[in-house]
Amino acid sequence: MTQRDIPDDEHASGPGGLAPTDVPGPLTIDQLLAESRLGLDRVHPGDLEREIEEGALVVDTRPVDQRDRDGELPGAVVIDRNVLEWRLDPSSPHRIPGAGDAARRIVVVCNEGYSSSLAAHNLQRLGLAQATDLIGGFQAWAALKRTEST
């Protein structure tokens, strides 16, 4: 599956134009992803540096093997996906320094921009209203950097 297979706009809808939450019964992962993205002001790879300059907390949730293979994301804090909510929830005693401000912009980055959308939605549900993710994930950011350097 590639990023272009799933719409990344904020108005993605389910079958027959229904919003994902209007579809009766269990959701498919594509519907859940679309539902998660409805409230996200997703960041384009070219805007990530500006987000960092403006004070956003960028969180890289990629597993260690992907970071070893593809490289680190400059300016990002690495937090394993399985503990993300505990490390960023302002009410959690296990949160990282700098995660106590519920109004701070948080940009979650995964490998291709799928699990980060789900994670950012969870963070919003925890009260982190400015949580979002990077469209296309690390791979889109890395591809942009490769084209900029040629």
Side-chain angles (χ1 to χ4, degrees):
M1 183 179 300
T2 63
Q3 184 68 28
R4 67 181 174 280
D5 293 335
I6 298 176
D8 61 19
D9 65 338
E10 295 177 359
H11 306 291
S13 60
L18 295 174
T21 54
D22 295 337
V23 178
L27 297 177
T28 67
I29 188 59
D30 289 344
Q31 292 167 327
L32 182 61
L33 186 62
E35 178 183 276
S36 295
R37 288 177 174 170
L38 286 175
L40 301 180
D41 178 20
R42 301 186 77 210
V43 175
H44 289 272
D47 295 332
L48 189 60
E49 287 180 33
R50 180 183 48 79
E51 292 282 347
I52 293 170
E53 290 169 4
E54 293 177 357
L57 175 63
V58 177
V59 180
D60 187 347
T61 62
R62 293 176 299 139
V64 67
D65 62 317
Q66 289 178 352
R67 293 192 315 271
D68 287 346
R69 180 191 68 209
D70 298 333
E72 299 294 325
L73 181 59
V77 173
V78 174
I79 301 177
D80 290 338
R81 175 62 192 98
N82 64 325
V83 295
L84 180 70
E85 288 83 356
W86 286 271
R87 299 297 183 256
L88 296 180
D89 179 358
S91 70
S92 173
H94 306 289
R95 74 180 175 273
I96 62 169
D101 181 0
R104 187 174 185 188
R105 177 87 153 162
I106 298 171
V107 181
V108 182
V109 180
C110 67
N111 195 48
E112 294 184 346
Y114 296 107
S115 67
S116 58
S117 294
L118 300 172
H121 176 73
N122 278 346
L123 294 175
Q124 285 186 349
R125 295 188 68 204
L126 290 172
L128 298 164
Q130 298 301 312
T132 190
D133 75 324
L134 184 67
I135 296 170
F138 179 86
Q139 294 302 323
W141 176 85
L144 177 66
K145 291 301 169 189
R146 283 191 299 274
T147 61
E148 288 177 351
S149 67
T150 57

